[in-house]
């Protein structure tokens, strides 16, 4: 037993030393293999990590925006449902003759959100058909469906103007950037035609002449409506100013009530201005479709949608801008 014990202790110490040396050698080898060969590789790795981080942040912001939009739409639908339970009626598709009363602005916002969602679906279908070089017959069906869908929004806006003309006129149902270019509750047909001319090349001389004539006639109609609105505002201001003065006597009260009744009557003409402006927009789209070929009409509708999509995106970027 005395002879075995020292030998055993020495073997154990040797094994421990060998194990320690192997660990040191592994650590050194590992450090050498993981170290970047040069600063260029290190910078590339850092750039890749930063690009991946920014990509994750953009994806997170996009998901948050979608979730916020979904929650807002859900809230609007819930409020619309409560409004319906309280007796506010909104007619379905095909018959929009019933007036939206009480909570008309909210009802229109929900209807417009649904219309915009369906419009995006139709435009995506058209874009896919154009990219896949579909035939004219298939494109014509999709284009006619989109133009008919535009007719729906003009009809919905007409019903909404009966309930709350100021909501439609102010454009509060659109994004801030869209409101910046708003004219009588919508877009200017003449300005839209100017944008499309450069997007639809090449055009024949006959097509170019027809579009220029359409643009000029639209501009003249817009100027006439704008002058009518200015005259209405001036007349309304004069009517309201006529009721100013000392109050208290029965004569002044009667005069005040009479002038306010006149002002109310003049405000009733606002609905007519909205209707005429939408009729002009509707006719411009229809005449543009007659001038262009089916494939050109498809490209025009895609360009119009992309333009308004960029306006909405610009609004989102503006609202999300960093503030000091």
């Amino acid at each position: 037993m005395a002879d075995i014990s020292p030998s055993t202790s020495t073997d154990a110490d040797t094994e421990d030393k060998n194990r320690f040396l192997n660990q040191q050698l592994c650590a050194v080898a590992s450090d050498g293999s993981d170290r970047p060969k040069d600063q260029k590789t290190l910078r590339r790795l850092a750039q890749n990590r930063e690009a991946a981080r920014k990509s994750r942040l953009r994806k997170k912001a996009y998901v948050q925006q979608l979730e916020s939009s979904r929650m807002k739409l859900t809230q609007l639908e819930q409020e619309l449902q409560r409004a319906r339970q309280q007796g506010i009626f909104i007619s379905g598709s095909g018959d929009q003759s019933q007036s939206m009363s009480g909570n008309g602005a909210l009802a229109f916002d929900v209807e417009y959100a649904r219309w915009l969602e369906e419009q995006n679906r139709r435009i995506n279908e058209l874009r896919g058909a154009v990219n896949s070089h579909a035939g004219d017959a298939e494109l014509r069906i999709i284009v006619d469906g989109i133009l008919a869908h535009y007719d729906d929004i003009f009809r919905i806006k007409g019903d909404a103007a009966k309930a709350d003309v100021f909501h439609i006129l102010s454009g509060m149902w659109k994004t801030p950037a869209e409101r910046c270019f708003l004219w009588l509750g919508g877009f200017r047909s003449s300005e839209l035609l100017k944008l499309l001319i450069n997007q639809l090349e090449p055009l024949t001389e006959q097509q170019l002449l027809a579009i220029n004539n359409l643009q000029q006639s639209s501009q003249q109609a817009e100027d006439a409506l704008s002058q009518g609105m200015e005259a209405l505002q001036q007349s309304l201001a004069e009517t309201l100013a006529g009721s100013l003065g000392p109050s208290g006597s029965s004569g002044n009260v009667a005069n005040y009530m009479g002038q306010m009744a006149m002002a109310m009557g003049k405000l009733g003409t606002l609905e007519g201005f909205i209707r005429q402006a939408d009729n002009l927009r509707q006719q411009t789209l229809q005449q543009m479709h007659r001038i262009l070929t089916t494939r050109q009409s498809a490209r025009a509708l895609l360009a119009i949608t992309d333009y308004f999509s960029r306006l909405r995106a610009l609004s989102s970027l503006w609202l999300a801008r960093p503030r000091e």
Side-chain angles (χ1 to χ4, degrees), residues 168-184:
I168 301 300
L169 192 61
S170 65
M172 295 306 296
W173 42 283
K174 286 185 171 290
T175 59
E178 289 179 293
R179 291 199 297 271
C180 184
F181 297 92
L182 199 69
W183 174 78
L184 289 181

Side-chain angles (χ1 to χ4, degrees), residues 55-214:
S55 178
R56 289 193 298 270
L57 290 177
R58 287 194 299 268
K59 182 178 180 181
K60 182 179 179 182
Y62 178 69
V63 171
Q64 289 176 345
Q65 183 180 2
L66 289 178
E67 181 65 18
S68 177
S69 301
R70 185 190 66 80
M71 293 177 62
K72 182 178 179 181
L73 181 59
T74 301
Q75 182 181 3
L76 289 174
E77 290 178 344
Q78 291 175 351
E79 293 179 1
L80 177 61
Q81 184 64 29
R82 288 195 295 269
R84 284 172 172 168
Q85 292 175 356
Q86 295 171 2
I88 300 173
F89 175 75
I90 302 174
S91 57
S93 59
D95 182 10
Q96 298 282 345
S97 59
Q98 294 286 348
S99 174
M100 292 183 292
S101 59
N103 212 356
L106 172 63
F108 172 75
D109 289 350
V110 173
E111 293 293 333
Y112 176 71
R114 290 174 177 170
W115 179 90
L116 191 60
E117 182 180 359
E118 174 63 17
Q119 178 75 354
N120 291 334
R121 186 194 67 78
R122 292 174 180 267
I123 288 295
N124 288 335
E125 181 183 6
L126 177 62
R127 197 184 307 276
V130 171
N131 292 338
S132 63
H133 305 288
D136 287 351
E138 181 180 352
L139 286 179
R140 188 178 301 109
I141 294 175
I142 302 176
V143 168
D144 290 344
I146 293 176
L147 291 175
H149 193 56
Y150 269 111
D151 294 340
D152 290 340
I153 192 58
F154 294 136
R155 184 169 58 252
I156 293 172
K157 284 176 64 181
D159 292 331
K162 296 177 183 178
D164 191 346
V165 66
F166 292 109
H167 184 69
I168 301 300
L169 192 61
S170 65
M172 295 306 296
W173 42 283
K174 286 185 171 290
T175 59
E178 289 179 293
R179 291 199 297 271
C180 184
F181 297 92
L182 199 69
W183 174 78
L184 289 181
F187 58 86
R188 284 183 177 269
S189 301
S190 60
E191 294 297 329
L192 206 59
L193 289 172
K194 289 180 182 178
L195 296 174
L196 289 178
I197 289 178
N198 296 329
Q199 302 293 327
L200 299 178
E201 295 179 349
L203 294 170
T204 65
E205 293 184 2
Q206 184 178 2
Q207 286 178 320
L208 191 58
L209 179 62
I211 292 179
N212 285 330
N213 290 336
L214 179 59

Side-chain angles (χ1 to χ4, degrees), residues 39-56:
Q39 293 297 325
K40 184 177 180 180
T41 302
L42 185 61
R43 285 195 301 270
R44 185 169 64 252
L45 292 175
Q47 291 172 355
N48 291 341
R49 287 194 297 269
E50 180 65 16
R53 186 184 69 85
K54 290 182 178 180
S55 178
R56 289 193 298 270

